[in-house]
Amino acid sequence: MRLFNAWEMGQDQTKQQIEKGLHLYQSNQTEKALQVWMRVLEKSADPAGRFRVLGCLITAHAEMGRYKDMLKAHHVMKLQRKFAVVQIDTARELEDPNYLTEGYLNLARSNEKLCEFQKTISYCKTCLNMQGTTVSLQLNGQVSLSMGNAFLGLSIFQKALECFEKALRYAHNNDDKMLECRVCCSLGNFYAQIKDYEKALFFPCKAAELVNDYGAGWSLKYRAMSQYHMAVAYRKLGRLADAMDCCEESMKIALQHGDRPLQALCLLCFADIHLSRRDVQTAFPRYDSAMSIMTEIGNRLGQIQVLLGVAKCWMIQKELDKALESIEKAQELAEGLGNKLGLLKLHCLCERIYRTKGLQRELRDHVVKFHECVEEMELYCGMCGESIGEKNNQLQALPCSHFFHLK
């Protein structure tokens, strides 16, 4: 009986320390929270408590993008993945499928942050195969969202849309407003990529409405992310003042909370806004700052976007050889990730450069590769046969997740 009581005290102490860390984290005292959780991880003999504190560490590292000034943020992302692996080992020790499902979801998310999209999809499928438990059913929406983000990173648009719509159904069925908000942000990103800018704005606006209506107790990251995706859509629609306002609000929150990944995205957006104004001298340093952070955190997808912007800046300045240097670096990243849309954009820029240079053989080569990318991504309207994503057009999705021009 005494042993049982001692065990219970250990569990209570673990729970209290986890709650203490959460209070510190929510009060923006991230370093102190991490120290508390690491002490719990070192000293607690309670497997369930260790599992929970690992979940806290994974979430914190995912949202921070840095760990004091000692570690590079890319190492933090790898540390996040390490915690996820340890969490799965703890779940196996507990012999509880609910814990195991949550552990694999965290591992999927960790790989998503590191742009390891194939691994993300694999771990998500493992989660979905663990059916029948209450927790696994509750987590399926989050699993579908992570899988959709991974498919989008690989430019597999139909499967990405299927996953996002499935995640949205889970959110509606479970009245999960936070999940709905995150899905709306991802759908905004999805439609921005295939150039339906009306929907690219509609979905983050819907996310912002959810934050205003239900988000009094939510992390400010939800507001920041909705504002960032609104900024992207406004920029693409040519509403540059609105884009700047939204991006400034998002950046303000990102700086307050030390959210390095979001800071990098905002810097990229600022640079793109200045590029849209053809203010190359103001765009360049912002691209440089965005690239610096994205290199630290391992956001290779973001690096491709930065290099595309830099190449366009050089093209405006008629520095075509420098533009080709940026394109070459971006192409290496895009091929490594399997990001087909990035490759398509790069071939399009090369086509313009070689046409200007009058190099017909290189021009034909990139025209062919451009159309190969379009066919591989199935970016054709099923009704009119014209390509999708070439210019701003309203799109409509069928129940099978194929989409076509609304006109």
Side-chain angles (χ1 to χ4, degrees):
M1 189 67 175
R2 286 178 185 171
L3 285 172
F4 178 78
N5 288 336
W7 172 249
E8 284 297 310
M9 280 182 63
Q11 286 181 320
D12 289 343
Q13 288 170 350
T14 298
K15 185 176 180 181
Q16 288 169 7
Q17 290 299 303
I18 291 172
E19 291 299 324
K20 178 183 176 181
L22 284 169
H23 178 73
L24 288 167
Y25 186 67
Q26 289 163 358
S27 303
N28 206 28
Q29 299 180 64
T30 305
E31 310 302 347
K32 290 182 179 178
L34 289 171
Q35 289 169 12
V36 169
W37 289 331
M38 286 302 292
R39 280 199 300 270
V40 173
L41 193 61
E42 289 167 6
K43 295 180 179 180
S44 177
D46 171 23
R50 286 172 59 81
F51 183 89
R52 286 291 155 227
V53 82
L54 282 162
C56 293
L57 286 163
I58 291 162
T59 301
H61 282 87
E63 293 181 4
M64 273 194 332
R66 65 178 184 83
Y67 186 56
K68 294 191 175 178
D69 295 319
M70 294 161 42
L71 289 176
K72 291 287 186 182
H74 183 54
H75 295 165
V76 171
M77 294 301 184
K78 288 188 173 180
L79 193 59
Q80 179 199 356
R81 182 163 60 183
K82 176 185 172 184
F83 284 138
V85 172
V86 175
Q87 193 183 41
I88 287 174
D89 291 338
T90 306
R92 289 199 177 103
E93 183 183 341
L94 288 161
E95 297 181 345
D96 187 324
N98 289 328
Y99 285 127
L100 201 55
T101 301
E102 188 175 338
Y104 274 111
L105 172 59
N106 282 326
L107 193 54
R109 285 172 170 169
S110 302
N111 279 283
E112 181 194 328
K113 297 288 182 184
L114 290 165
C115 299
E116 298 283 357
F117 298 126
Q118 293 290 1
K119 289 181 181 178
T120 302
I121 292 164
S122 176
Y123 288 127
C124 284
K125 287 179 178 178
T126 301
C127 290
L128 294 173
N129 288 334
M130 294 180 181
Q131 297 297 329
T133 61
T134 306
V135 172
S136 67
L137 291 172
Q138 291 173 346
L139 292 177
N140 275 353
Q142 297 179 48
V143 173
S144 296
L145 174 59
S146 188
M147 189 184 289
N149 289 334
F151 278 127
L152 188 57
L154 295 170
S155 308
I156 305 175
F157 294 105
Q158 185 185 343
K159 288 187 177 179
L161 186 58
E162 284 176 10
C163 291
F164 292 146
E165 290 183 338
K166 192 179 291 184
L168 204 56
R169 284 197 298 274
Y170 279 116
H172 290 156
N173 292 340
N174 295 301
D175 198 29
D176 187 339
K177 301 301 182 184
M178 292 172 80
L179 175 60
E180 184 179 352
C181 180
R182 289 168 57 203
V183 176
C184 284
C185 287
S186 287
L187 281 166
N189 184 24
F190 174 89
Y191 282 107
Q193 290 195 29
I194 59 173
K195 296 192 178 180
D196 182 342
Y197 297 149
E198 185 174 304
K199 287 189 179 67
L201 180 60
F202 169 81
F203 281 106
C205 284
K206 175 64 176 174
E209 284 178 20
L210 290 166
V211 172
N212 289 334
D213 293 344
Y214 303 99
W218 296 4
S219 165
L220 282 173
K221 72 172 185 177
Y222 289 94
R223 179 169 185 79
M225 284 306 299
S226 63
Q227 292 295 314
Y228 161 72
H229 286 289
M230 286 168 64
V232 171
Y234 278 133
R235 183 190 70 79
K236 289 180 179 291
L237 286 165
R239 295 170 58 177
L240 302 183
D242 291 328
M244 186 64 80
D245 288 344
C246 289
C247 199
E248 284 175 350
E249 183 170 354
S250 183
M251 185 59 144
K252 182 181 177 182
I253 297 170
L255 288 169
Q256 285 174 349
H257 288 262
D259 187 338
R260 298 275 283 167
L262 184 54
Q263 288 171 31
L265 291 174
C266 288
L267 284 164
L268 170 59
C269 189
F270 283 136
D272 286 340
I273 291 168
H274 291 298
L275 175 62
S276 297
R277 292 172 172 163
R278 300 183 75 80
D279 183 358
V280 173
Q281 296 307 320
T282 309
F284 267 132
R286 284 153 184 80
Y287 282 130
D288 288 343
S289 298
M291 178 61 91
S292 177
I293 299 174
M294 286 174 175
T295 302
E296 286 179 11
I297 64 177
N299 183 356
R300 289 170 287 164
L301 203 56
Q303 291 173 49
I304 295 168
Q305 299 306 313
V306 170
L307 289 165
L308 276 164
V310 170
K312 290 174 184 176
C313 286
W314 287 126
M315 289 170 71
I316 288 172
Q317 294 193 322
K318 310 297 183 185
E319 297 276 5
L320 301 185
D321 290 334
K322 288 183 179 179
L324 285 171
E325 287 176 16
S326 294
I327 288 170
E328 187 178 343
K329 292 175 186 175
Q331 185 171 346
E332 186 178 341
L333 286 166
E335 287 174 349
L337 287 180
N339 180 245
K340 302 178 193 69
L341 184 63
L343 288 169
L344 180 143
K345 290 178 178 179
L346 292 165
H347 291 312
C348 186
L349 289 181
C350 285
E351 183 183 333
R352 286 166 55 189
I353 290 170
Y354 287 122
R355 181 173 280 112
T356 303
K357 282 174 166 278
L359 298 174
Q360 295 302 315
R361 189 182 69 178
E362 289 84 351
L363 169 63
R364 284 194 299 271
D365 182 43
H366 285 286
V367 168
V368 169
K369 288 178 179 176
F370 174 87
H371 287 290
E372 285 175 353
C373 286
V374 172
E375 288 179 14
E376 196 173 348
M377 289 186 288
E378 298 181 354
L379 283 178
Y380 286 110
C381 174
M383 303 296 285
C384 68
E386 294 179 8
S387 62
I388 285 172
E390 192 172 328
K391 58 185 177 181
N392 183 19
N393 261 315
Q394 285 184 261
L395 303 172
Q396 183 66 44
L398 294 168
C400 58
S401 296
H402 285 95
F403 35 89
F404 55 92
H405 290 122
L406 187 61
K407 67 182 180 181

